[in-house]
Amino acid sequence: MELRPLTKSDYEFLVSLQRQDDVWEFIGTLPLPGEGHAHHLFAIRESDLPLGFAGLVKSQALDGNDFEVLCAIRSEVQQRGVAKQACQLVLQWAFQTAKLDRVIACIDDTNEPARAIALKIGMTELATRPPNRTVYVKYRDERSLTRA
């Protein structure tokens, strides 16, 4: 599996991915390639086969200064660990290349698979937001977390 920057050539695949019920329900309209520098989006591919997309989008979940990790995977390749691996690669890029201090994920409370992935990649619960969403966070410097 590899991540490569999303381009306009991925548009048709993104449209088909957006039609999946689980994508539409939990993510809504997908950010499109070429929407400016507010997003850092990557195509998830295995050889020449598109599997999904992952990346960072400017989030309004907290104070509007954070980037939020998003990931959407084709139905037929879910349950193979692709989303977890893609999210790990996005976090690695966020902290090592983009030098972000933290990344968040604002996840609907009924989206158990996304919540499980957030925990598996080391994110911790930060806050709740109406309606029925929880914000998870991962810091570049994990030592900055207050341990209870």
Side-chain angles (χ1 to χ4, degrees):
M1 186 187 83
E2 68 172 345
L3 296 185
R4 68 152 174 77
L6 207 58
T7 66
K8 290 184 182 196
S9 67
D10 296 305
Y11 177 76
E12 286 183 37
F13 173 68
L14 288 177
V15 169
S16 70
L17 189 61
Q18 184 173 316
R19 290 184 182 129
Q20 278 183 203
D21 288 339
D22 59 339
V23 173
W24 180 251
E25 178 182 2
F26 294 119
I27 296 178
T29 303
L30 296 175
L32 298 175
E35 285 188 334
H37 299 288
H39 310 306
H40 305 285
L41 303 173
F42 303 93
I44 305 167
R45 300 183 69 81
E46 192 170 73
S47 300
D48 287 334
L49 180 66
L51 302 179
F53 95 96
L56 302 170
V57 295
K58 198 71 168 164
S59 180
Q60 299 302 312
L62 298 174
D63 56 12
N65 294 322
D66 288 295
F67 279 95
E68 181 173 345
V69 64
L70 287 182
C71 184
I73 305 294
R74 292 174 39 196
S75 297
E76 57 270 23
V77 296
Q78 290 178 1
Q79 309 296 321
R80 288 187 15 204
V82 172
K84 176 186 168 202
Q85 186 178 358
C87 288
Q88 287 173 320
L89 292 171
V90 168
L91 288 177
Q92 181 180 4
W93 182 89
F95 297 137
Q96 294 177 2
T97 303
K99 304 291 186 201
L100 298 177
D101 289 326
R102 73 180 189 176
V103 172
I104 65 170
C106 188
I107 302 172
D108 188 282
D109 290 341
T110 62
N111 190 346
E112 288 299 323
R115 292 164 57 90
I117 290 169
L119 295 173
K120 287 178 184 176
I121 62 174
M123 298 186 98
T124 57
E125 191 173 318
L126 180 66
T128 57
R129 291 287 179 256
N132 304 317
R133 296 180 74 77
T134 302
V135 178
Y136 293 82
V137 65
K138 182 158 177 98
Y139 293 91
R140 178 170 30 135
D141 180 3
E142 289 295 337
R143 293 170 294 184
S144 66
L145 291 173
T146 304
R147 305 280 182 205

